[in-house]
């Protein structure tokens, strides 16, 4: 967070959920990775106009912003009222390189960067947990029933093993390999997907509940595969998680097609990442060369954008 007296800045980054999405809402563990290739910066400056916002998505008065940006107004009101500060004339400038609504944690990252910038503007310093309280609040507005994982990973330097209600653990991914991340180009529907899983648990408990528990077991298996540097088991575990997510109805045709393409191209495993119903998928590859060849096939299959993310361990020689 670098700020001058005239401008106050907050920064955060995107995330990739390696495994455990959706189940994490119901107390199962999940593993998330900070995705620094996609970042966001919010700069707050004093102006002589009422509160304005400048972003790729919308520029103008905050009071007239589309409802998707409501969470910023709520955060602004809440922080001003909690700390008895007057909201005067400010411009909120958002520069985001995180594709919105793609399961990459864009909203949590914008909230985190905004809260940091606003606290700096008000000259308030808070502990991380208090900061997260505000980000969780905005995630509740956006997603209804968030687990809290997105809020925590967008400001974390390390991958996290997270279970709702527990202290999150750093989980260094000392494992060989590469993740290929591909964007379907379709906006995901996290809040609807989360709501539909809740509905499935209510109406079809005997089917949905074992799927949630199974994803939890797969996450524990992925964690031990990471400890054992066993990329092959990790790959198979990711693919199994995709099958369970599919049965929970949070995948869609584009995601399934990209998963299939990645597996046919030699990925060790592949799955959707984040909320699903659009957004992004990930594929695990043994080497950069393999990752590039998978990436090429995903782009040919219609992926809108791709990234290659290196995990931490030594490369495998094939
Ligand atoms: C969204 O990035 C991840 C979900 O598990 C929702 C949540 O954990 O809040 C789908």
């Amino acid at each position: 967070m670098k700020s001058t007296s005239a401008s106050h800045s907050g920064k955060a980054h995107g995330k990739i959920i390696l495994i455990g999405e959706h189940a994490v809402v119901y107390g199962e563990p999940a593993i998330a990775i900070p995705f620094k290739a996609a970042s966001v910066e919010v700069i707050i400056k004093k102006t002589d106009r009422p509160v304005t916002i400048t972003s790729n998505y919308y520029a103008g008065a905050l009071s007239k912003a589309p409802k998707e940006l409501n969470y910023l107004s709520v955060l602004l009101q809440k922080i001003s009222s909690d700390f008895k500060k007057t909201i005067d004339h400010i411009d909120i400038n958002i520069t985001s390189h995180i594709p919105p609504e793609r399961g990459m944690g864009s909203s949590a990252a914008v909230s985190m960067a905004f809260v940091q910038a606003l606290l700096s503007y008000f000259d308030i310093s808070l502990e991380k947990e208090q900061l997260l309280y505000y980000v969780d609040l905005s995630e509740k507005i956006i997603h209804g029933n968030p687990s809290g994982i997105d809020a925590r990973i967008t400001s974390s330097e390390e991958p996290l093993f997270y279970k709702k209600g527990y202290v999150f653990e750093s989980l260094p991914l000392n494992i060989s390999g590469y993740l290929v991340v591909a964007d379907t180009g379709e906006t995901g529907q996290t809040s609807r997907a989360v709501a539909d899983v809740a509905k499935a648990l209510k109406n079809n408990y005997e089917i949905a509940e074992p799927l949630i528990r199974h994803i939890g077991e797969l996450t524990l298996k992925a964690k031990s595969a990471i400890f054992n540097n066993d990329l092959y088991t990790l790959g198979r575990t990711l693919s199994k998680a995709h099958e369970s997510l599919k049965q929970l109805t949070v995948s869609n045709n584009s995601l399934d097609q990209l998963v299939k393409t990645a597996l046919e191209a030699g990925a060790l495993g592949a799955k959707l990442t984040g909320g699903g119903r659009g957004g992004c998928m990930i594929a695990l590859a043994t080497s950069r060369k393999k990752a590039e060849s998978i990436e090429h096939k995903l782009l040919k299959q219609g992926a809108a954008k791709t990234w290659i993310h290196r995990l931490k361990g030594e490369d495998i020689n094939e």
Side-chain angles (χ1 to χ4, degrees):
M1 207 183 330
K2 188 168 173 242
S3 300
T4 66
S5 58
S7 102
H8 299 265
S9 144
K11 286 186 182 155
H13 45 252
K15 62 109 211 287
I16 302 165
I17 296 193
L18 184 67
I19 189 164
E21 52 275 269
H22 285 289
V24 68
V25 173
Y26 299 97
E28 295 299 335
I31 299 170
I33 307 174
F35 192 49
K36 302 252 180 100
S39 63
V40 55
E41 181 170 24
V42 173
I43 295 177
I44 293 185
K45 281 187 185 156
K46 199 166 171 50
T47 61
D48 50 6
R49 288 165 293 159
V51 182
T52 51
I53 191 160
T54 312
S55 71
N56 284 344
Y57 182 64
Y58 168 79
L62 182 61
S63 58
K64 297 208 171 91
K67 66 174 182 353
E68 286 77 10
L69 296 178
N70 262 355
Y71 67 99
L72 294 177
S73 301
V74 173
L75 279 177
L76 184 57
Q77 304 274 1
K78 176 79 177 137
I79 292 175
S80 320
S81 127
D82 284 358
F83 296 96
K84 305 197 176 8
K85 301 280 184 188
T86 332
I87 311 165
D88 46 14
H89 299 170
I90 56 172
D91 178 58
I92 304 161
N93 189 302
I94 303 173
T95 308
S96 179
H97 302 289
I98 310 177
E101 298 177 62
R102 298 297 212 288
M104 279 196 175
S106 159
S107 60
V110 172
S111 299
M112 174 57 81
F114 175 64
V115 169
Q116 287 174 3
L118 190 63
L119 291 172
S120 163
Y121 178 80
F122 286 146
D123 200 17
I124 299 164
S125 107
L126 290 185
E127 294 293 325
K128 183 83 178 274
E129 272 309 311
Q130 292 171 290
L131 219 119
L132 286 168
Y133 160 80
Y134 289 106
V135 183
D136 282 341
L137 196 84
S138 76
E139 285 289 280
K140 273 188 198 127
I141 299 167
I142 299 162
H143 296 312
N145 184 20
S147 65
I149 194 166
D150 289 11
R152 275 139 197 88
I153 196 68
T154 52
S155 61
S156 173
E157 292 298 310
E158 289 281 352
L160 297 179
F161 178 81
Y162 175 80
K163 207 170 153 149
K164 203 172 175 176
Y166 290 79
V167 175
F168 47 87
E169 277 173 45
S170 238
L171 180 68
L173 296 184
N174 294 328
I175 186 160
S176 326
Y178 291 77
L179 281 180
V180 184
V181 183
D183 182 358
T184 57
E186 294 168 5
T187 52
Q189 299 169 27
T190 301
S191 53
R192 208 174 304 162
V194 168
D196 284 352
V197 172
K199 221 182 278 168
L201 277 166
K202 193 160 168 250
N203 301 335
N204 283 311
Y205 185 81
E206 55 301 335
I207 295 175
E209 201 270 348
L211 289 170
I212 297 282
R213 300 299 152 230
H214 185 53
I215 295 173
E217 286 157 17
L218 291 173
T219 301
L220 293 176
K221 197 162 182 193
K223 188 185 185 193
S224 69
I226 290 166
F227 277 131
N228 296 326
N229 197 7
D230 181 354
L231 207 57
Y232 294 86
T233 300
L234 179 61
R236 280 194 298 275
T237 308
L238 297 184
S239 292
K240 283 183 187 158
H242 182 74
E243 286 310 310
S244 295
L245 290 165
K246 203 170 148 182
Q247 288 178 55
L248 278 173
T249 77
V250 297
S251 190
N252 73 357
N253 285 343
S254 311
L255 285 165
D256 291 344
Q257 189 54 55
L258 292 185
V259 164
K260 185 166 174 269
T261 302
L263 293 174
E264 284 169 1
L268 299 181
K271 62 182 276 294
L272 68 85
T273 180
R277 302 263 176 89
C280 293
M281 55 78 67
I282 52 174
L284 186 65
T286 43
S287 64
R288 178 166 287 278
K289 199 163 156 233
K290 193 68 158 182
E292 281 169 358
S293 133
I294 295 167
E295 178 181 48
H296 178 71
K297 302 246 168 57
L298 289 171
L299 286 166
K300 232 170 124 194
Q301 184 58 45
K305 193 167 162 60
T306 51
W307 298 261
I308 292 181
H309 180 86
R310 181 175 185 241
L311 302 173
K312 279 274 157 55
E314 292 298 309
D315 283 11
I316 291 175
N317 291 317
E318 285 183 307

